[in-house]
Amino acid sequence: MNQVKKDLMFSVGGIIAGIIMIAIFLLGVIAEKMSASMVMGMGIGLTSVGVWQIFLNLKAIKNPEKVEEIEINSNDERNILVREKTSAKSYSIFIYVEIGLVFITALLSYKEVSLLLLALICAKLVVWFLLCIKNLNKY
């Protein structure tokens, strides 16, 4: 039941964020037309996905066998190991993709974009190192 409740709260958070984005669009806070349209699209997307996820989670809560199956699958050691290995591999691949994008944008003389991507990669690596240190101390 714990995992389903977490998913339910995450869905509610998505709906709230989506409604805030839609309100920002409707109030005209953002002057640039393209940015305003993007905020509206993200708001509609977050709201619709949140409503659908709430529907699915409430349906799952009514079925105790399904809730138990979700809990077992989320806490199963084999599934946890597969998730962690998959996450680590995809993280490594995307670090290389992002570094490639930094080089391409630098070669194309997009200085600001290149610096922004480089800063994001550095921030991601710092967060990753901090999480590794935290988990090493924890376990």
Side-chain angles (χ1 to χ4, degrees):
M1 189 67 114
N2 201 12
Q3 185 65 36
V4 175
K5 286 182 181 179
K6 284 181 188 176
D7 290 344
L8 189 61
M9 294 308 294
F10 188 73
S11 301
V12 170
I15 289 175
I16 291 170
I19 290 172
I20 289 171
M21 288 180 176
I22 292 170
I24 287 172
F25 174 79
L26 293 176
L27 294 174
V29 174
I30 301 174
E32 188 179 333
K33 187 172 178 98
M34 185 170 177
S35 296
S37 299
M38 188 169 51
V39 168
M40 179 64 168
M42 288 188 325
I44 290 173
L46 282 172
T47 305
S48 60
V49 168
V51 168
W52 181 251
Q53 286 297 323
I54 285 178
F55 170 73
L56 291 178
N57 287 325
L58 290 178
K59 187 176 174 184
I61 287 174
K62 292 179 184 177
N63 187 353
E65 294 90 25
K66 185 71 173 172
V67 172
E68 186 176 337
E69 181 182 333
I70 291 170
E71 287 296 320
I72 290 171
N73 285 336
S74 67
N75 296 328
D76 183 36
E77 291 176 6
R78 182 178 176 277
N79 289 341
I80 292 171
L81 179 67
V82 169
R83 252 192 328 259
E84 288 174 354
K85 285 193 170 277
T86 305
S87 296
K89 193 61 154 176
S90 64
Y91 181 83
S92 299
I93 290 170
F94 273 95
I95 286 292
Y96 289 118
V97 169
E98 291 168 345
I99 290 172
L101 286 173
V102 169
F103 283 122
I104 290 171
T105 55
L107 290 174
L108 294 174
S109 299
Y110 293 121
K111 183 179 176 183
E112 293 84 13
V113 175
S114 179
L115 289 173
L116 175 66
L117 287 173
L118 188 59
L120 289 174
I121 291 171
C122 289
K124 187 191 304 188
L125 287 172
V126 167
V127 169
W128 183 71
F129 283 129
L130 291 174
L131 288 174
C132 285
I133 290 169
K134 177 185 172 202
N135 285 334
L136 282 174
N137 291 335
K138 185 177 179 182
Y139 301 113

